[in-house]
């Protein structure tokens, strides 16, 4: 299962637009994770809080991590047991997954500005 990074939470956007991230009981839930979940819900995306199974990672539209120190960042590659199982292609820029990520990131910024 893909759960989180050392100091970040891991999210995948499936080709159908569903966003998946590990359940709060499985990771250290933090501020950034909660804001990304709030943004996804406010934009009407289906969010599944369940760890992504490795075999499902081969067919995701995009993957990203969030953290309080770095905001949200797209993932370029996913490796498992020493092998690359997914890679974001440069030609994918502007595809549906990355468009969803950009919308989420913009909504996160709006939420954070409203909280100040």
């Amino acid at each position: 299962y893909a759960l989180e990074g050392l100091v970040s939470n891991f999210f995948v956007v499936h080709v159908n637009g569903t966003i998946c991230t590990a359940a709060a009981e499985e990771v250290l839930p933090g501020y950034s994770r909660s804001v990304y979940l709030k943004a996804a819900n406010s934009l009407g995306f289906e969010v599944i809080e369940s760890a992504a199974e490795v075999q499902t990672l081969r067919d995701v539209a995009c993957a990203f991590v969030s953290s309080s120190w770095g905001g949200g960042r797209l993932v370029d590659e996913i490796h498992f047991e020493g092998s690359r199982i997914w890679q974001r292609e440069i030609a994918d820029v502007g595809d549906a997954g990355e468009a969803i990520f950009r919308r989420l990131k913009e909504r996160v910024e709006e939420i954070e500005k409203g909280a100040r």
Side-chain angles (χ1 to χ4, degrees):
Y1 294 97
L3 298 173
E4 62 186 340
L6 293 174
V7 293
S8 60
N9 291 105
F10 179 72
F11 296 79
V12 294
V13 178
H14 292 281
V15 293
N16 66 0
T18 301
I19 297 168
C20 183
T21 190
E25 310 80 55
E26 299 172 316
V27 296
L28 293 173
Y31 170 77
S32 180
R33 178 184 180 279
S34 69
V35 175
Y36 270 88
L37 291 175
K38 183 176 182 177
N41 287 320
S42 73
L43 291 169
F45 291 107
E46 179 183 2
V47 176
I48 298 173
E49 290 189 65
S50 177
E53 295 184 28
V54 172
Q55 63 269 23
T56 67
L57 297 176
R58 297 180 196 279
D59 298 315
V60 298
C62 81
F64 67 94
V65 293
S66 71
S67 69
S68 294
W69 58 266
R73 302 244 187 254
L74 285 168
V75 171
D76 289 327
E77 296 181 342
I78 299 173
H79 292 255
F80 179 70
E81 294 182 346
S83 297
R84 183 176 62 214
I85 61 170
W86 180 84
Q87 179 177 1
R88 180 170 62 101
E89 300 294 329
I90 300 301
D92 291 344
V93 174
D95 74 6
E98 291 187 30
I100 290 171
F101 171 73
R102 284 192 303 276
R103 287 180 61 200
L104 283 171
K105 194 164 181 167
E106 289 170 2
R107 183 67 183 120
V108 164
E109 291 170 2
E110 292 170 2
I111 291 169
E112 289 179 333
K113 285 179 185 172
R116 292 182 192 154

